[in-house]
Amino acid sequence: MEKFILSLDQGTTSSRAIIFDHKGTIRSVAQKEFRQLFPQPGWVEHDPLEIWSTQAGVAAEAVTQAGLNSEQLASLGITNQRETTIVWERESGKPVYNAIVWQDRRTAAFCDELKKQGLDKLIREKTGLVVDAYFSGTKIKWILDNVPGARAKAEAGKLAFGTVDSWLIWNLTQGKLHVTDVTNASRTMLYNINTMQWDKELLEILTVPENMLPQVRSCSEVYGHTSGKLMGQAVPIAGIAGDQHAALFGQMCIRKGMVKNTYGTGCFMVMNTGTEVIPSKNNLVSTVAWQINGETTYALEGSIFIAGAVVQWLRDGLGIIRSSPEVEKLALEVKNSDGVYLVPAFAGLGAPYWNQDARGTLVGLTRGTTAAHIARAALDSIAYQTLDVLKAMEADSGLDIPELRVDGGATANNLLMQFQANLLQANVVRPKVTETTALGAAYFAGLATGFWEDIPSLEQQWQEDRQFSPEMAPEETESLLSGWKKAIHATISWTETT
């Protein structure tokens, strides 16, 4: 009987499930969007029960669509939107509050307090992270401080915290397992990436009781099994990794210095730095790439908060396109953005600036500016932000990056990929399977259960779809970049009080 891997890919705007066969080929995909909740400016929430119901629904749909039964599932891997924070009651399994999403800025003032107290250096040394509202630790504290009775319940051991992976596994096992993996743990601001343990000093600083936390495991091992009631048969849960770590592995960036960029709601560039933590001097974060068989691989990462989301804004906010794929056609109506620059700092600026007060800025407008120029500037902004992060990565690692492996929804946009290669003056390589996040989770799960023998056999599965090489003279690139730098300067100066 042929066996398959089921990969659950729980993202920021949708839950997806993909079935992979032994060649790493996709056999079926099911996807369902869920609501984005914005209770106040700068606040972003999800309903945890909706996350679970959509994820369970698409898992069943993907299995049915591929014509399989649960006996044919060798194992299940999970990858997830990171930092998004859920706190629930251990006894009832009921969330005490909505999931606070990674994009949420409500704890920005508290982060500023931590910096004023000079704690950012200590937090950085232990976690590799910059102090920012992006990470989970301050979100947990907010829930405990603001939900009536939550802190007392937490101190009495009645509440559980988890990132989305932990929440899904809790539900898949009907409350039997409260676990996470090293990658998701490394994004909480509570986990020491040098000792690879929850850090008591950080828990005290953020006033988070240790009894709430999940057990931390590697990315590739059998953690337990799904409840038979859910899938008809107990399926081994054998792989967990945060989405960007899974994508790095799915892209087979398994050697030091290899880099991938995922173009999703945000953009996330990650470089494999081998078995050592490289502290960043350029506002990147040092993080755990993965852990397999007791060996930890580290990475440098730059997070861009708004990438594909800028196209959604053109669609939903401005109404200049009806569907996201239309953006390429509209942008192609003009030769270039004609000096228009859009800095999409809708949720602050991420790496390498880390300015949480920054807001979106559109500059260089004239009476001749059209919707096509704005669409072009929106696409260009994704490539410019990527370049900023890549330059910071080269400076931190001391390595030249000749090739960028790319994945995610926006890589289907050839105009954007070509512009990216032009700006970087380097090759941009798109793989045949662009679902690298789900693929990475499948690989972790398959390695743990013997479905795949070893990493070298996986490496042979990686195939290039298309390579984009620079077609623009370096001088022209420089001229465009000087405009982008001015636009960034305008964005940051807007935040300064006069």
Side-chain angles (χ1 to χ4, degrees):
M1 182 170 55
E2 194 181 355
K3 295 263 187 175
F4 301 86
I5 304 279
L6 170 60
S7 193
L8 304 184
D9 181 357
Q10 205 300 304
T12 308
T13 55
S14 69
S15 295
R16 317 173 72 219
I18 301 184
I19 300 275
F20 290 97
D21 64 17
H22 197 264
K23 289 179 180 161
T25 307
I26 293 172
R27 287 298 184 93
S28 69
V29 182
Q31 177 169 355
K32 191 162 175 47
E33 286 196 8
F34 52 85
R35 289 172 305 150
Q36 307 293 306
L37 309 169
F38 307 104
Q40 289 187 32
W43 291 27
V44 190
E45 295 177 2
H46 294 153
D47 175 352
L49 297 173
E50 197 179 354
I51 287 177
W52 164 239
S53 67
T54 54
Q55 192 62 74
V58 291
E61 196 184 318
V63 172
T64 308
Q65 205 180 304
L68 310 180
N69 59 50
S70 52
E71 284 173 32
Q72 289 175 271
L73 300 177
S75 53
L76 179 154
I78 293 174
T79 182
N80 56 288
Q81 50 163 318
R82 303 167 304 168
E83 298 96 17
T84 294
T85 298
I86 305 172
V87 175
W88 66 93
E89 292 174 347
R90 288 185 181 278
E91 204 167 304
S92 67
K94 203 172 147 230
V96 302
Y97 189 77
N98 274 339
I100 302 183
V101 181
W102 57 273
Q103 298 157 314
D104 188 282
R105 310 306 298 164
R106 77 187 66 187
T107 61
F110 176 67
C111 290
D112 289 339
E113 282 300 309
L114 291 174
K115 289 178 199 163
K116 272 187 204 141
Q117 291 167 39
L119 289 165
D120 47 336
K121 187 167 177 285
L122 170 87
I123 290 169
R124 178 147 217 167
E125 278 167 9
K126 289 183 177 233
T127 65
L129 307 176
V130 295
V131 172
D132 191 84
Y134 178 35
F135 304 107
S136 316
T138 61
K139 301 181 196 296
I140 306 170
K141 176 180 160 49
W142 188 94
I143 290 172
L144 297 183
D145 289 346
N146 289 277
V147 174
R151 188 165 286 285
K153 278 186 192 168
E155 278 160 8
K158 291 181 177 174
L159 297 186
F161 150 73
T163 39
V164 173
D165 56 310
S166 303
W167 170 243
L168 292 178
I169 291 170
W170 176 277
N171 284 289
L172 284 165
T173 62
Q174 298 198 309
K176 284 199 176 71
L177 274 183
H178 185 211
V179 297
T180 189
D181 82 298
V182 291
T183 67
N184 279 294
S186 77
R187 313 295 296 188
T188 58
M189 228 160 80
L190 300 169
Y191 188 74
N192 189 318
I193 63 169
N194 306 295
T195 63
M196 298 298 280
Q197 286 177 331
W198 296 119
D199 191 285
K200 288 187 168 35
E201 191 177 4
L202 297 177
L203 290 168
E204 270 175 41
I205 290 168
L206 295 180
T207 63
V208 173
E210 192 167 3
N211 64 31
M212 295 178 71
L213 304 178
Q215 185 192 8
V216 183
R217 309 274 285 269
S218 79
C219 299
S220 181
E221 60 177 278
V222 177
Y223 314 100
H225 292 73
T226 61
S227 156
K229 287 178 195 164
L230 279 174
M231 304 192 77
Q233 184 161 320
V235 177
I237 304 168
I240 314 173
D243 49 12
Q244 304 316 318
H245 315 261
L248 188 70
F249 197 70
Q251 281 275 35
M252 282 287 106
C253 291
I254 53 175
R255 278 179 289 284
K256 184 176 178 175
M258 292 181 81
V259 186
K260 71 91 203 167
N261 195 30
T262 297
Y263 297 75
T265 305
C267 250
F268 300 89
M269 191 184 292
V270 188
M271 171 193 265
N272 182 331
T273 62
T275 53
E276 59 175 328
V277 180
I278 294 185
S280 175
K281 295 184 176 69
N282 294 280
N283 283 331
L284 302 178
V285 301
S286 309
T287 195
V288 175
W290 53 73
Q291 187 184 63
I292 302 176
N293 298 330
E295 184 172 304
T296 306
T297 299
Y298 292 95
L300 275 172
E301 178 179 328
S303 305
I304 296 162
F305 297 152
I306 301 289
V310 75
V311 178
Q312 289 170 336
W313 174 70
L314 296 178
R315 182 191 69 192
D316 305 335
L318 294 188
I320 62 173
I321 51 172
R322 280 195 305 274
S323 68
S324 296
E326 281 180 28
V327 71
E328 185 171 8
K329 189 170 164 234
L330 178 59
L332 278 167
E333 287 178 13
V334 289
K335 218 167 48 194
N336 52 46
S337 72
D338 199 21
V340 174
Y341 288 87
L342 169 61
V343 181
F346 305 146
L349 277 172
Y353 305 103
W354 288 103
N355 185 319
Q356 48 190 19
D357 301 316
R359 289 296 173 263
T361 311
L362 190 57
V363 296
L365 301 176
T366 66
R367 272 299 299 272
T369 301
T370 65
H373 291 112
I374 292 171
R376 187 70 179 246
L379 283 182
D380 290 354
S381 76
I382 301 171
Y384 284 123
Q385 292 178 98
T386 298
L387 176 79
D388 286 343
V389 174
L390 188 121
K391 289 293 170 209
M393 229 164 238
E394 287 185 331
D396 275 340
S397 65
L399 300 168
D400 276 337
I401 299 169
E403 170 186 291
L404 180 66
R405 291 189 173 186
V406 298
D407 54 76
T411 58
N413 189 314
N414 292 333
L415 175 69
L416 171 60
M417 291 299 101
Q418 184 56 56
F419 187 65
Q420 188 71 83
N422 292 346
L423 277 189
L424 297 180
Q425 292 290 308
N427 293 329
V428 169
V429 185
R430 183 170 65 200
K432 279 213 166 117
V433 177
T434 55
E435 297 289 356
T436 53
T437 306
L439 185 60
Y443 281 167
F444 286 131
L447 285 169
T449 48
F451 184 79
W452 285 295
E453 193 183 339
D454 53 23
I455 294 173
S457 63
L458 294 178
E459 205 178 358
Q460 288 172 350
Q461 291 190 0
W462 190 89
Q463 286 180 303
E464 181 183 301
D465 167 53
R466 182 166 168 190
Q467 182 164 304
F468 297 85
S469 299
E471 292 175 354
M472 193 182 270
E475 309 76 65
E476 198 180 336
T477 305
E478 282 308 311
S479 154
L480 290 170
L481 282 176
S482 72
W484 171 252
K485 282 174 189 149
K486 283 198 288 192
I488 287 282
H489 180 70
T491 302
I492 292 170
S493 64
W494 173 256
T495 68
E496 290 158 6
T497 48
T498 48

